[in-house]
């Protein structure tokens, strides 16, 4: 009798515990006010779909409802926080499939096939790097016809700069990345001078100065300044009037930052990284760059109106530069602004579509800052440029 | 499903009211064809027209893609089981369309089995016992099933998916074996996990469903494998196809024929593709071989080699089962025997072999063997039987608590699928 009672107690614990786990999130979903945006995931959450028989019969309603429930089930934020802690503790694995935990709190982002590239998947599977030189050559000659020097600056990915913090299983799987294949092709070619290879520089200085954030995809301000110096050094071989920002013109401070990888990982507000800030003493350029309204007339802007180029510069300087950059441009722009008479920063556009704008702006140099995971996109051959070069009609 | 229920109910009554055996048989065949027709249209018509187009060399037969009703193979087989059971046992037809509807649409096992047979469950449809201890035992079984699916099958499935999506040249021998081993464990823990959940849910509502898996990977012959793997399907085919064909009580070649027919049908039951047919045929051929002198040779070799034989046949079979087409199957099989190549694990697989993978494969291997089951039985009969009531109380409460704790990692893993950060927010 007593055994039955004690077994009964164990049964009650199991039954009630199970029913609570199964029903509580559902009940909470019904009574809780739905959020529209997830600050943790940086996206709009799926709304409750309106019922329609048409959508019900073709399955679209069920799909939308499933998305809604995934985004709004009861205690979602708390469960996701628990899931993050569990996965981190049990598997050293992030909640996000795109985030890779390294050692010593280093994090890596696996987007746009970064990991595949790191392991050499693309170079092994018919990615013809020899064609890249052809594309680069055409671009270089086309810009030269416009009187512009071309400088390609592929930005090494964090995995290539700091492979030592990657998990061993990833580090051991390293292969020839697209950038490495490109560097091999470039070696001893006529185009070597057009490309600034940052990898040796960054790897050399990283033991003295941390050049990339631990919890962000990008270089930190120190990294940006080192890259800036490398660019200026390169340009000083091409132009006599280069006057770069020097280390003694820099003031150091510090701040806390939550990196983009930490955000994608679902990090809490307190999980921030301390980083140095670099400020230029007595800046000659403006604090804020100004929008370049003239660019709205170009086909390049019509095709991609999201980002309007921005201009800055120092009237005391001589060289004019056009800089194409992605999110890596964030910390380097202030140094570049202080180094040119006028500099325009812009996001990626079809170069050929910018022809009239380039002619009007008349830069001395075109600097193409491109993240490693995307640099191969710009090495395709533009047939319109090729045709102009072949026919001699510009 | 409503059609299936209506046809089964109506023809069940007609079978019971048939005046003679010939009428009864005619009605049975007519009802079977009515039940098979939707299964054929939804599941096999595309396959048939695709192959006819291939043979005829044109694309004149164009059937727009039909959405496969969920669980159609399972509920059609349950309906067939009902009609054959009524045919065999007069007076057993279900008068209540609701009770028959409950049998065919029984939600716990509707999607992934086990296939419930009418004669096993007919009494439970009317009178079944529900109790606190049965409900708790159902919860326990459900949690085990969900844990198998979420904590073991899903992570291993990710590795198997990568292995089967890589170009053959990028795979290599080691990754190919890792991939197929992961798939073998994935399909076992996925399927048996669903069966456990169905059995558990059934128990909560007072139904007792038969077991569907019994450690199939410890088998020493393919014959034994099929007594342990998807038991409800193999016994369904045995009772409703193999035995009516004559079973093994006929001349030797007829037994072989019957086995091949049953396993070709079994292959097709899983899906409409040549790969499933070959998978079924492979098992049928080895079952037939085991009835010949090869079987006697097999009985004579040490148990270790018998296990190896079964695992190799089953793994090769899974290659056909998992691949999307014959070319992929052959490419994958060629990688499994590519011993001249490097034994380095393909990078695409190596980078995924994290702590979760090692946990899943270790626990998966452990629980695919009956070690835990035997140990807990031993503890039950040798330790707990003679323990004090207090000790038993503590253990029972401890077990319930552990099961509830096990729900947390399961929930976390399920919830992680809902986490979907927008990765380009910076840009």
């Amino acid at each position: 009798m007593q055994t039955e009672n004690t077994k009964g107690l164990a049964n009650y614990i199991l039954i009630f515990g199970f029913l609570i786990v199964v029903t509580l999130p559902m009940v909470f979903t019904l009574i809780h006010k739905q959020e529209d945006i997830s600050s943790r995931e940086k996206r709009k959450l799926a709304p409750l779909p309106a019922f329609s028989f048409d959508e019900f019969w073709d399955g679209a309603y069920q799909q939308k409802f499933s998305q809604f429930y995934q985004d709004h089930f009861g205690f979602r934020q708390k469960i996701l926080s628990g899931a993050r802690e569990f996965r981190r503790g049990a598997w050293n694995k992030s909640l996000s499939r795109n985030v890779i935990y390294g050692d010593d709190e280093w994090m890596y982002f696996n987007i746009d096939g970064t990991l595949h590239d790191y392991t050499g998947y693309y170079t092994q599977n018919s990615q013809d790097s020899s064609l890249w030189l052809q594309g680069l050559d055409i671009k270089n000659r086309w810009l030269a016809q416009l009187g512009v020097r071309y400088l390609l600056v592929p930005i090494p990915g964090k995995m290539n700069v700091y492979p030592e913090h990657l998990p061993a299983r990833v580090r051991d799987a390293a292969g020839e990345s697209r950038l490495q294949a490109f560097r091999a092709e470039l070696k001893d070619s006529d185009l070597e001078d057009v490309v600034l290879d940052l990898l040796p520089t960054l790897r050399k200085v990283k033991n003295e100065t941390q050049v990339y954030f631990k919890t962000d995809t990008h270089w930190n301000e120190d990294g940006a300044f080192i890259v800036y110096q490398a660019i200026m050094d390169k340009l000083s071989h091409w132009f006599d009037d280069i006057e770069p920002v020097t280390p003694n013109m820099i003031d150091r401070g510090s701040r806390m930052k939550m990196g983009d990888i930490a955000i994608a990982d679902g990090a809490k507000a307190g999980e921030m990284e301390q980083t140095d800030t670099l400020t230029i003493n007595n800046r000659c350029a403006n604090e804020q760059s100004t929008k370049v309204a003239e660019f709205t007339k170009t086909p390049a802007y019509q095709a991609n109106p999201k980002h309007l180029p921005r201009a800055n510069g120092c009237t005391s300087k001589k060289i004019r530069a056009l800089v194409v950059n992605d999110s890596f441009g964030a910390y380097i722009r202030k140094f570049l602004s202080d180094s040119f008479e006028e500099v325009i920063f812009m996001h990626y556009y079809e170069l050929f579509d910018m022809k009239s704008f380039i002619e009007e702006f008349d830069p001395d140099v075109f600097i193409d800052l491109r993240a490693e995971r995307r640099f191969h996109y710009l090495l395709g051959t533009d047939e319109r440029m090729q045709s102009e070069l072949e026919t001699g009609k510009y | 499903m409503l059609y299936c229920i209506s046809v089964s109910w109506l023809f069940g009554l007609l079978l019971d009211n048939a005046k003679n055996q010939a009428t009864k048989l005619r009605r049975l065949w007519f009802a079977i064809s009515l039940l098979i027709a939707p299964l054929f249209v939804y599941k096999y018509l595309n396959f048939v027209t695709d192959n006819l187009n291939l043979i005829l060399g044109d694309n004149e037969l164009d059937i727009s893609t039909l959405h496969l009703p969920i669980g159609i193979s399972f509920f059609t087989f349950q309906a067939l089981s009902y009609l054959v059971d009524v045919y065999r046992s007069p007076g057993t037809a279900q008068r209540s369309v609701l009770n028959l509807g409950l049998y065919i649409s029984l939600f716990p096992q509707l999607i992934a089995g086990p296939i419930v047979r009418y004669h096993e469950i007919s009494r439970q449809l009317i009178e079944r016992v529900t109790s606190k201890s049965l409900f708790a035992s159902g919860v326990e079984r459900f949690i085990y099933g969900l844990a198998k699916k979420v904590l073991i099958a899903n992570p291993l499935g990710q590795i198997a998916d990568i292995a089967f999506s890589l170009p053959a040249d990028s795979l290599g021998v080691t990754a190919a074996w890792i991939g197929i081993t992961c798939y073998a464990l994935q399909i076992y823990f996925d399927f048996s996990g669903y069966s456990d959940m169905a059995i558990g849910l059934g128990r909560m509502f007072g139904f007792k469903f038969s077991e569907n898996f019994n450690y199939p990977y410890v088998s020493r012959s393919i014959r034994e494998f099929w007594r342990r793997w998807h038991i409800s399907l193999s016994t369904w085919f045995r009772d409703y196809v193999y035995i009516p064909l004559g079973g093994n009580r006929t001349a030797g070649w007829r037994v072989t024929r019957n086995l091949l027919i049953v396993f070709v049908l079994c292959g097709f039951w899983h899906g409409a593709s040549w790969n499933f047919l070959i998978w079924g045929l492979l098992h049928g051929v080895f079952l037939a071989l085991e009835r010949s002198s090869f079987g006697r040779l097999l009985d004579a070799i040490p148990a270790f080699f018998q296990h190896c034989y079964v695992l190799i046949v089953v793994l090769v079979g899974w290659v056909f089962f998992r691949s999307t087409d014959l070319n992929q199957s052959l490419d994958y099989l060629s990688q499994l025997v590519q011993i001249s190549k490097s034994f380095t694990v393909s990078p695409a697989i190596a980078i995924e072999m994290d702590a979760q993978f090692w946990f899943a494969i270790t626990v998966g291997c452990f629980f695919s063997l009956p070690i835990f089951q035997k140990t807990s039985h031993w503890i039950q009969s040798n330790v707990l039987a003679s323990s004090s009531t207090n000790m038993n109380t503590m253990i029972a409460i401890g077990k319930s608590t552990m099961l509830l704790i096990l729900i947390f990692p399961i929930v976390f893993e399920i919830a992680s699928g809902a986490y979907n950060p927008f990765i380009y927010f910076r840009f």
Side-chain angles (χ1 to χ4, degrees), chain B residues 307-370:
Chain B
H307 289 303
C308 290
Y309 150 74
V310 171
L311 287 177
I312 288 168
V313 173
V314 169
L315 290 181
V316 168
W318 288 144
V319 172
F320 288 101
F321 199 90
R322 174 62 181 79
S323 302
T324 47
D325 55 47
L326 271 180
N327 285 337
Q328 195 195 10
S329 310
L330 297 175
D331 283 347
Y332 200 98
L333 287 172
S334 73
Q335 292 302 308
L336 286 175
V337 292
Q338 195 71 267
I339 48 174
S340 60
K341 278 198 169 180
S342 157
F343 288 99
T344 312
V345 183
S346 162
I349 297 284
I351 56 177
E352 297 292 335
M353 291 166 68
D354 53 22
Q356 189 178 21
F357 160 79
W358 288 111
F359 168 84
I361 201 157
T362 309
V363 173
C365 288
F366 179 77
F367 281 104
S368 64
L369 304 171

Side-chain angles (χ1 to χ4, degrees), chain A residues 14 78 85 100 104 127 141 161 175 185 196 232 238 256 303 306 319 325 340 353 356 358 367:
Chain A
L14 187 58
K78 286 194 168 50
E85 295 308 318
I100 300 164
D104 198 22
Q127 194 64 244
R141 284 195 289 134
V161 180
E185 285 287 332
L196 178 59
M232 289 296 116
W238 291 353
M256 300 302 285
K306 205 174 167 187
I319 308 295
N325 65 122
F340 298 106
D353 291 339
S356 57
I358 293 170
I367 303 171

Side-chain angles (χ1 to χ4, degrees), chain B residues 27-287:
Chain B
R27 287 178 182 175
L28 176 68
W29 277 112
F30 186 61
I32 288 174
S33 56
L34 286 177
L35 288 175
I36 296 276
L39 183 66
F40 176 80
V41 170
Y42 281 112
K43 198 164 177 177
Y44 302 104
L45 193 57
N46 269 319
F47 174 73
V48 171
T49 52
D50 285 351
N51 282 285
L52 280 176
N53 281 332
L54 264 180
I55 294 164
L56 300 172
D58 56 31
N59 287 315
E60 284 188 10
L61 296 169
D62 182 26
I63 307 290
S64 57
T65 308
L66 293 167
H67 294 294
L68 191 66
I70 199 161
I72 189 169
S73 304
F74 287 99
F75 67 70
T76 302
F77 268 42
Q78 290 198 178
L80 291 174
S81 147
Y82 165 71
L83 288 173
V84 176
D85 286 355
V86 170
Y87 170 81
R88 284 176 181 171
S89 312
T92 54
Q94 179 57 256
R95 308 272 146 190
S96 160
V97 71
L98 282 178
N99 280 341
L100 188 68
L102 176 63
Y103 161 67
I104 291 176
S105 65
L106 207 54
F107 85 90
Q109 40 67 255
L110 180 65
I111 296 167
I115 299 166
V116 174
R117 316 257 292 270
Y118 183 67
H119 67 81
E120 292 170 353
I121 209 171
S122 56
R123 185 169 281 275
Q124 297 173 43
L125 291 171
I126 304 156
E127 45 186 76
R128 55 187 172 275
V129 180
T130 50
S131 71
K132 195 173 62 217
S133 61
L134 256 180
F135 196 97
S137 135
V139 169
E140 181 183 338
R141 192 67 186 265
F142 183 87
I143 294 171
Y144 284 142
L146 196 56
K148 280 181 174 181
K149 162 78 182 151
V150 174
L151 300 180
I152 302 174
N154 287 358
L156 293 176
Q158 284 176 8
I159 302 281
D161 287 349
I162 294 167
F164 277 89
S165 66
L166 283 176
D169 295 346
S170 311
L171 190 61
V173 61
T174 317
W177 280 100
I178 291 171
I180 195 60
T181 306
C182 286
Y183 183 66
L185 291 171
Q186 180 205 1
I187 193 168
Y188 170 55
F189 283 102
D190 195 285
F191 202 176
S192 71
Y194 271 119
S195 292
D196 286 341
M197 286 189 262
I199 291 167
L201 280 170
R203 269 187 211 164
M204 291 182 214
F205 294 102
F207 287 100
K208 190 174 183 299
F209 299 145
S210 53
E211 292 297 329
N212 213 15
F213 291 88
N214 182 23
Y215 301 99
Y217 293 138
V218 300
S219 305
R220 293 203 249 171
S221 65
I222 297 300
R223 199 173 172 183
E224 187 186 352
F225 178 82
W226 279 100
R227 284 198 211 109
R228 292 170 174 274
W229 179 271
H230 203 174
I231 299 164
S232 64
L233 180 72
S234 52
T235 50
W236 194 98
F237 272 109
R238 183 196 65 199
D239 294 347
Y240 298 112
V241 182
Y242 185 67
I243 291 173
L245 283 170
N248 48 15
R249 292 185 180 177
T250 52
W253 70 271
R254 281 179 191 267
V255 175
T256 303
R257 181 204 63 184
N258 296 345
L259 281 170
L260 294 180
I261 289 173
V262 165
F263 276 87
V264 164
L265 289 174
C266 179
F268 266 132
W269 179 85
H270 286 86
S273 88
W274 291 109
N275 273 45
F276 287 119
L277 183 139
I278 290 171
W279 172 78
L281 203 58
L282 181 86
H283 280 270
V285 165
F286 276 95
L287 277 164

Side-chain angles (χ1 to χ4, degrees), chain B residues 368-425:
Chain B
S368 64
L369 304 171
I371 303 167
F372 180 75
Q373 187 199 40
K374 285 186 176 169
T375 312
S376 55
H377 281 170
W378 185 87
I379 293 171
Q380 193 79 36
S381 49
N382 293 289
V383 182
L384 298 182
S386 54
S387 298
S388 66
T389 313
N390 282 345
M391 175 64 94
N392 277 319
T393 307
M394 297 285 283
I395 289 169
I397 292 172
K399 190 179 169 188
S400 292
T401 313
M402 292 300 286
L403 279 165
L404 290 176
I405 291 171
L406 183 61
I407 293 179
F408 284 92
I410 295 171
V411 169
F412 290 151
E413 282 300 311
I414 294 173
S416 67
Y419 184 69
N420 186 18
F422 180 58
I423 56 179
Y424 283 104
F425 62 90

Side-chain angles (χ1 to χ4, degrees), chain A residues 6 10-12 15 41-43 76 79 83 86-87 91 93 95 97 111-112 125 169 216 264 266 327 374, chain B residues 132 136 158 170 351 353-354 356 359 393 396 400 409 412-413 415-416 418-424 426-427:
Chain A
T6 53
N11 286 343
Y12 274 125
I15 291 167
E41 292 160 80
K42 305 285 175 204
R43 68 178 173 92
R76 187 173 184 273
I79 291 173
F86 167 73
R87 287 173 73 86
W91 325 123
K93 199 168 175 175
L95 203 51
R97 273 196 66 77
I111 46 170
D112 295 337
N125 290 283
R169 67 176 196 281
D216 196 285
S327 52
R374 289 175 166 190
Chain B
K132 195 173 62 217
Q158 284 176 8
S170 311
I351 56 177
M353 291 166 68
D354 53 22
Q356 189 178 21
F359 168 84
T393 307
S400 292
F412 290 151
E413 282 300 311
S416 67
Y419 184 69
N420 186 18
F422 180 58
I423 56 179
Y424 283 104
R426 272 288 296 255
F427 316 118

Side-chain angles (χ1 to χ4, degrees), chain A residues 22-93:
Chain A
V22 169
T23 54
L24 215 57
M26 279 194 275
V27 172
F28 199 74
T29 309
L30 293 174
I31 59 171
H32 189 248
K33 188 182 175 297
Q34 309 298 344
E35 290 172 338
D36 296 330
I37 290 170
S38 166
S39 53
R40 188 183 203 121
E41 292 160 80
K42 305 285 175 204
R43 68 178 173 92
K44 212 175 159 193
L45 296 172
L48 180 66
F51 182 82
S52 88
F53 276 107
D54 286 347
E55 287 199 338
F56 183 79
W57 291 121
D58 69 15
Y61 176 80
Q62 291 88 324
Q63 209 168 5
K64 284 181 185 172
F65 189 86
S66 175
Q67 282 166 356
F68 163 77
Y69 191 75
Q70 283 216 349
D71 279 359
H72 297 278
F73 60 81
F75 309 109
R76 187 173 184 273
Q77 291 306 322
K78 286 194 168 50
I79 291 173
L80 287 178
S81 294
R84 177 174 177 261
E85 295 308 318
F86 167 73
R87 287 173 73 86
R88 191 149 73 159
W91 325 123
N92 192 31
K93 199 168 175 175

